[in-house]
Amino acid sequence: MTAHWWNALAVLPALLLSPLLLGIIGKTKALAAGRKGAPLLQPYRDLLRLLGKGAVYGRTATWVFRAAPAISLAAILTASLMLSAGPLAAPLAFSGDLVLFAYLLALSRFALIAGAMDTGSAFEGMGASREAAFSAFAEPAFFLVLGVLAWEEKALSLSAILGGADVASWSAKIPSLALAATALFLILLAENSRIPVDDPATHLELTMIHEVMVLDHSGPDLAFILYGSALKLWLFSAVLVSMFMFSSGPAWVSMALFLGGMFGVAVLVGVTESVMARLRLGRVPQLLGLAAVLAGLAALLLMAGGRP
Amino acid sequence: MNPEALALAAPASLLIGAAVSLACGKRSGVAAWVAILATSFAAVLGTASAANVLRSGAGWSIEAAWSLPWATFSVGMDGLSAYFLAFILALAVPAAAYGKGYLAHEGDSRWAGASWAFFQILVASMAVVVLARDGVLFLIAWEGMSVASFFLVIHDHRRPEVRSDALVYLVATHLGAAALAAMFGLWGRGAGSLAFAALQGAPLSRNVAWVLFLLALVGFGSKAGLAPFHVWLPKAHPAAPSHVSALMSGVMIKMGIYGLMRFILMSGPPPAGWGYALLGIGALSAVGGVLYALAQHDLKRLLAYHSVENVGIITMGLGAGLLARTAGLEAVAMAALCGSLLHVLNHGLFKSLLFYSGGAATQAAGTRNMERLGGLLRRMPVTGAAFLAGAAAICALPPFNGFVSEWLIYSGLFNGALQGPGAVSAVLFVTIPLLALVGGLALACFAKASGVVFLGEPRSEEAARCKEVSPWMTVPMVLTALACAGVGLAAPWALRIVAPAARELAGISSNAAWNTSLGAGPLSAVVLAGWMLLIVAGIMLGFRRLLLKGKALSEAPTWGCGYAAPTARMQYTASSFAQPLLEPLSRLMRPSLRKRRPKGIFPERASFSSHYDDPADRTIFDPAITLLERLAGALRPLQQGRLQVYLLYVLLTLVALIAWEVLA
């Protein structure tokens, strides 16, 4: 893959539009519930307001608590360099970058968990423990999905295994692709703390997972965390959408398709949240197991189909 | 000096150092200084000799007559030996310095000189193990290593549990050595000599080769701590003083890995079955090790179980590399083998770092029970930061070294799955999610360990009183932490140290196939991404500082949902942290829970405790030992404790022997 200076532009949609996904999810849920809902741009306003504020720190907290949000966001930002946005190729692409992508997200999680444990609060410890557990169960499923995609395209770089669909091989691939996409959607819901795994709108600490981990953060730190989770949602959605992107066609069409797909995923998340209740915590590993089974089935279909 | 003399001078100077330390007797400070100087001197000599071989690519071997039966004094060095020699000696130096600080509180004890002598004997015998080119010399050095480490484990011999754990270790290590002796015996009988050169040339039938492989797997696997031969490891490593734990967990168990690799080099091109076997046993150790690590309350035992996990990862890389070799995928084999070899060094670095910092914390607090620790980062800033760095490295988080070697192993697995023939491809594909699961669980486990021990509030008086340890201990921590980051951020350079050994194991003569397809380019991209991550993190931290400039910053109690008087005991405990992970697996892990539920309208007392027994103990070793005891019990009537009876035994034996001589 040749590196051009304009490849750096590929991160711009993610940087600029990721909070919009949260706005769309919120709007979808409000409309489904018959409410008017917050404006689409509300997440941007929240972020700006938080960036302008001061901060309150717990007396127990050390430098770990203060540095965690910035490090977590930095890891997600670095991971965003590896995804292309429609026609814009990723700035960083090499054979094996999918492993780096997954481990950068792990670093971001580790930083937030350490920050939560630093507060000494039982609530935050509880959230941290659940987040660590569910992410650990999600990890094998995510790698299986990556393995399926890598197998289909015979490549090991995210930009090479995503967005390279062509009409000729489409029909042969679609069954395994659909299974892998379903698995990835389940992982997306779990990793981004959405219903049915976690409820970002709950008001009871005992039932929270991700939200309770960041209870003590305030001001710019909280803004970093909120922006980081929006960006993470964008990254997972981008992988999901890019699985179905065609490599041919004019650039503006594929950009429009990409963005349309991204907003479509946000609507889908919103609809899922509107029609489903949360699972009991003990059921979440089973959901992630289901994701792994679906991805495993996709792999079996591919292997049984022989090598292209 | 020529490299041969340099290499031999390294263990020699350590043995001289051991003699001097022993002569120091009670003066522990002097004995420690001798050990530090001898280890550093040996490290300079040994790494110079290893660097020579690694740079020139030309190995050497020398042979001399020896008065021992069936033995020649053969030593030699190739890429594999050079890499391991440099690794052993380089990591022994910080361990010695740390040990001086760690043992300082004991003052001048009677055992000080002996303890430092055994430390140097351990390092010297490990160096001889990797240099030996003769079965007898190898086994002697192997035994020296086991015995020296036994005496180091039993350092705190006044505590009964230390004595019993050390005995388990002594038995386990000799069972392994027995398997190795059998292996060399069987092999040497066919070859007519125990010199490695003769063994290497001996033609092996398929069945004999398999028997030798299984014996090597038991013998070397039990030293390496591969499941299910790992039972001694979580007992012996926590019982030892922390500088010894670091040396044993970081370095000594890798002698088992070295042995396996040496066996594969000597026995000729490995069959695919060995690759599958190593991959399977590696995966079992990795998953089992990390699961049982999660279940631990004892910090040092948790770290010991992580050694089982990481040795498993190393073995997975080795197995994947051998499979790729049999499938003719040179580049893939190189990726997996380089990852496996580099993980040996990386695990040595971060496990030493974790034992240094974890050991400092448990020594300062006087307990290894994590439920009684907490908030140590505030009280021991350097130690705490070092542990966090080690935790990030062992979880394979970029930009630290663990990520680079695991990335190489992933690269081998993915590429092998994509390019390999049917069965190889399918097996490697299945291994990928397993390694990912291990990664996720390790992250949870170290989030727990660093969070519960170093963050939050102290859970006991002892933890609240902790003070930062002496520079003798903190400086080795800082240096190994920097080395962890350094290997991660300069990986292509580190790769040059392991490439010769990886080429030998892959059975190829040049890096060319690897460099062009998989190796150099992507690896430098990984390193580039690591630097980018650092830069982005720096920018974000700077941006945060800019945002907060001139803003109102205040301190308040942690949000406790309206509780007026929170206590530190209310914090999430280590057991609670691991519960969501272990609960879904409880049928597999079979915890023994002791519950006393609250009763009545005004409950007074309630308690809960959980304990996870090692399944290898429960299902294999405990029944085996019970059986052995029952069998041995049958012999008990022979032991009457009366002199006359024993004299009768002697007489009967003599008569029997004479009869045999006469009749035969």
Side-chain angles (χ1 to χ4, degrees):
Chain A
M1 185 150 301
T2 47
H4 295 293
W5 64 268
W6 61 78
N7 281 357
L9 295 179
V11 296
L12 281 184
L15 294 185
L16 296 177
L17 296 179
S18 52
L20 189 59
L21 290 187
L22 298 180
I24 294 175
I25 294 175
K27 200 71 175 175
T28 312
K29 284 172 76 175
L31 290 179
R35 289 181 287 115
K36 200 161 149 247
L40 278 175
L41 297 183
Q42 187 60 39
Y44 291 93
R45 290 184 199 162
D46 291 345
L47 285 174
L48 282 178
R49 181 169 49 87
L50 286 170
L51 285 177
K53 286 199 171 194
V56 184
Y57 292 106
R59 292 207 179 92
T60 308
T62 62
W63 59 266
V64 173
F65 179 82
R66 286 157 218 250
I71 292 174
S72 167
L73 179 57
I76 299 177
L77 283 171
T78 314
S80 71
L81 294 175
M82 276 171 270
L83 279 182
S84 40
L88 296 171
L92 184 64
F94 58 92
S95 172
D97 64 3
L98 36 81
V99 179
L100 178 63
F101 181 79
Y103 275 78
L104 279 170
L105 295 181
L107 170 64
S108 117
R109 191 193 317 144
F110 185 77
L112 281 191
I113 292 177
M117 296 299 284
D118 200 21
T119 60
S121 147
F123 287 127
E124 302 218 9
M126 192 171 63
S129 142
R130 291 172 183 170
E131 174 118 341
F134 297 154
S135 307
F137 288 129
E139 206 80 273
F142 187 54
F143 270 82
L144 269 175
V145 172
L146 291 178
V148 168
L149 295 175
W151 187 295
E152 286 196 359
E153 300 295 331
K154 295 288 164 219
L156 286 175
S157 140
L158 280 173
S159 2
I161 62 179
L162 296 170
D166 60 76
V167 187
S169 61
W170 185 254
S171 61
K173 280 180 186 169
I174 204 72
S176 61
L177 215 53
L179 281 172
T182 316
L184 186 63
F185 186 67
L186 295 179
I187 299 166
L188 178 148
L189 294 176
E191 286 278 358
N192 291 290
S193 339
R194 315 303 311 189
I195 292 176
V197 174
D198 187 8
D199 184 0
T202 183
H203 291 287
L204 183 62
E205 286 90 339
L206 273 174
T207 62
M208 298 176 180
I209 300 176
H210 182 78
E211 293 302 302
V212 77
M213 269 174 63
V214 300
L215 268 185
D216 262 52
H217 288 281
S218 55
D221 293 333
L222 185 57
F224 282 8
I225 290 174
L226 292 180
Y227 184 61
S229 49
L231 204 52
K232 192 169 154 193
L233 178 63
W234 177 279
L235 295 185
F236 274 95
S237 313
V239 174
L240 188 58
V241 171
S242 303
M243 281 166 74
F244 297 98
M245 290 289 288
F246 289 90
S247 51
S248 50
W252 68 270
V253 174
S254 84
M255 195 65 191
L257 279 176
F258 175 73
L259 292 180
M262 294 298 285
F263 300 144
V265 171
V267 172
L268 194 60
V269 173
V271 171
T272 313
E273 298 216 327
S274 307
V275 299
M276 281 193 80
R278 265 186 70 170
L279 291 174
R280 273 194 302 133
L281 283 174
R283 294 264 172 210
V284 173
Q286 294 173 6
L287 181 80
L288 294 167
L290 173 68
V293 168
L294 289 175
L297 277 178
L300 273 181
L301 271 182
L302 274 182
M303 290 188 195
R307 349 190 115 255
Chain B
M1 272 214 293
N2 54 352
E4 292 91 336
L6 279 175
L8 288 177
S13 58
L14 281 162
L15 290 177
I16 295 170
V20 177
S21 285
L22 192 63
C24 290
K26 277 182 161 186
R27 279 162 298 183
S28 68
V30 188
W33 265 113
V34 171
I36 293 168
L37 289 176
T39 320
S40 315
F41 186 62
V44 171
L45 298 179
T47 41
S49 166
N52 179 292
V53 167
L54 290 175
R55 203 179 304 120
S56 69
W60 52 264
S61 68
I62 47 177
E63 197 170 313
W66 209 10
S67 56
L68 280 178
W70 310 304
T72 51
F73 188 84
S74 306
V75 287
M77 199 189 283
D78 53 3
L80 187 66
S81 297
Y83 170 59
F84 271 91
L85 183 71
F87 159 72
I88 295 162
L89 294 170
L91 276 168
V93 178
Y98 177 88
K100 177 167 161 46
Y102 189 82
L103 296 178
H105 74 282
E106 292 188 355
D108 292 344
S109 91
R110 195 145 61 95
W111 308 106
S115 168
W116 282 109
F118 283 123
F119 181 88
Q120 292 167 84
I121 293 173
L122 173 59
V123 180
S125 34
M126 289 194 287
V128 177
V129 162
V130 299
L131 290 173
R133 289 294 179 273
D134 179 85
V136 176
L137 180 63
F138 184 92
L139 285 176
I140 291 175
W142 192 265
E143 184 63 19
M145 183 171 88
S146 303
V147 173
S149 50
F150 166 74
F151 282 111
L152 288 167
V153 169
I154 208 160
H155 184 86
D156 290 325
H157 53 91
R158 285 193 188 81
R159 301 220 316 271
E161 73 274 15
V162 168
R163 288 200 298 271
S164 91
D165 289 345
L167 272 177
V168 171
Y169 171 54
L170 192 66
V171 172
T173 190
H174 280 101
L175 285 178
L180 292 184
M183 180 197 82
F184 278 117
L186 185 61
W187 203 349
R189 209 177 60 141
S193 158
L194 286 174
F196 285 5
L199 299 180
Q200 197 158 4
L204 295 173
S205 75
R206 201 165 154 270
N207 291 343
V208 173
W210 263 100
V211 172
L212 291 180
F213 173 72
L214 291 177
L215 285 171
L217 199 57
V218 173
F220 292 126
S222 64
K223 179 57 79 180
L226 283 172
F229 316 117
H230 66 281
V231 286
W232 61 272
L233 199 151
K235 298 191 173 78
H237 289 197
S242 291
H243 65 296
V244 177
S245 315
L247 194 65
M248 286 175 73
S249 238
V251 183
M252 194 192 74
I253 60 171
K254 310 297 169 33
M255 295 300 103
I257 300 293
Y258 168 81
L260 279 174
M261 290 177 168
R262 174 62 61 199
F263 173 81
I264 286 157
L265 282 186
M266 279 164 51
S267 60
W274 296 6
Y276 289 121
L278 288 171
L279 202 58
I281 203 169
L284 177 72
S285 309
V287 177
V290 72
L291 279 178
Y292 279 87
L294 262 169
Q296 301 308 314
H297 315 291
D298 176 328
L299 180 60
K300 283 179 77 175
R301 182 163 291 194
L302 177 147
L303 293 178
Y305 268 110
H306 271 287
S307 293
V308 177
E309 176 223 328
N310 276 284
V311 161
I313 293 175
I314 293 169
T315 311
M316 283 164 86
L318 179 61
L322 295 185
L323 271 184
R325 177 182 168 172
T326 55
L329 306 168
E330 288 186 1
V332 178
M334 274 300 279
L337 291 169
C338 282
S340 174
L341 282 160
L342 193 58
H343 206 66
V344 167
L345 168 68
N346 288 343
H347 178 253
L349 284 170
F350 53 63
K351 188 46 67 70
S352 296
L353 175 57
L354 288 165
F355 265 116
Y356 295 158
S357 45
T362 52
Q363 188 184 47
T367 174
R368 304 203 306 250
N369 185 353
M370 288 190 275
E371 317 288 22
R372 298 189 57 75
L373 300 170
L376 294 187
L377 180 63
R378 233 169 225 280
R379 288 151 187 88
M380 310 171 77
V382 181
T383 304
F387 192 90
L388 281 171
I394 198 172
C395 295
L397 298 178
F400 287 99
N401 56 352
F403 178 70
V404 174
S405 42
E406 286 203 25
W407 180 83
L408 282 165
I409 294 176
Y410 270 118
S411 168
L413 293 175
F414 268 110
N415 282 301
L418 295 191
Q419 300 169 21
V424 171
S425 161
V427 168
L428 293 182
F429 192 92
V430 172
T431 317
I432 295 169
L434 280 180
L435 191 54
L437 178 68
V438 170
L441 293 173
L443 186 131
C445 190
F446 273 94
K448 162 185 129 166
S450 42
V452 170
V453 175
F454 288 97
L455 305 176
E457 292 282 348
R459 290 178 177 77
S460 66
E461 285 286 307
E462 299 89 326
R465 279 199 302 266
C466 283
K467 292 259 160 48
E468 185 59 282
V469 289
S470 75
W472 278 109
M473 296 162 82
T474 51
V475 170
M477 287 179 212
V478 173
L479 290 180
T480 33
L482 289 176
C484 283
V487 173
L489 292 168
W493 180 82
L495 202 69
R496 280 164 49 191
I497 313 174
V498 300
R503 280 200 302 270
E504 289 161 6
L505 284 165
I508 54 176
S509 53
S510 88
N511 283 358
W514 189 57
N515 273 341
T516 49
S517 60
L518 303 173
L523 192 70
S524 37
V526 167
V527 171
L528 177 72
W531 282 105
M532 270 183 334
L533 172 69
L534 284 188
I535 293 169
V536 176
I539 294 174
M540 294 320 296
L541 288 168
F543 182 47
R544 173 180 174 277
R545 175 164 285 193
L546 198 72
L547 285 170
L548 288 174
K549 207 176 197 177
K551 299 275 168 55
L553 293 183
S554 55
E555 293 215 330
T558 294
W559 170 243
C561 202
Y563 284 116
T567 85
R569 293 294 303 274
M570 280 167 54
Q571 288 176 98
Y572 230 47
T573 61
S575 321
S576 334
F577 194 93
Q579 190 266 348
L581 274 159
L582 298 177
E583 168 77 22
L585 302 168
S586 59
R587 204 168 291 178
L588 190 73
M589 303 195 38
R590 298 212 280 168
S592 49
L593 305 177
R594 228 171 301 148
K595 293 179 202 171
R596 201 160 142 197
R597 294 173 183 283
K599 276 190 205 125
I601 302 171
F602 301 103
E604 283 179 346
R605 277 165 181 274
S607 66
F608 171 83
S609 71
S610 65
H611 180 73
Y612 288 81
D613 286 320
D614 198 305
D617 264 336
R618 196 176 58 217
T619 59
I620 304 175
F621 291 96
D622 286 348
I625 289 169
T626 318
L627 182 71
L628 196 67
E629 276 180 349
R630 197 175 306 151
L631 291 177
L635 295 175
R636 193 166 288 163
L638 288 176
Q639 300 278 7
Q640 296 287 347
R642 253 185 258 149
L643 189 61
Q644 292 91 327
V645 178
Y646 290 113
L647 283 174
L648 182 66
Y649 291 161
V650 172
L651 182 70
L652 286 177
T653 313
L654 274 175
V655 170
L657 283 175
I658 290 168
W660 189 52
E661 189 65 36
V662 169
L663 294 177

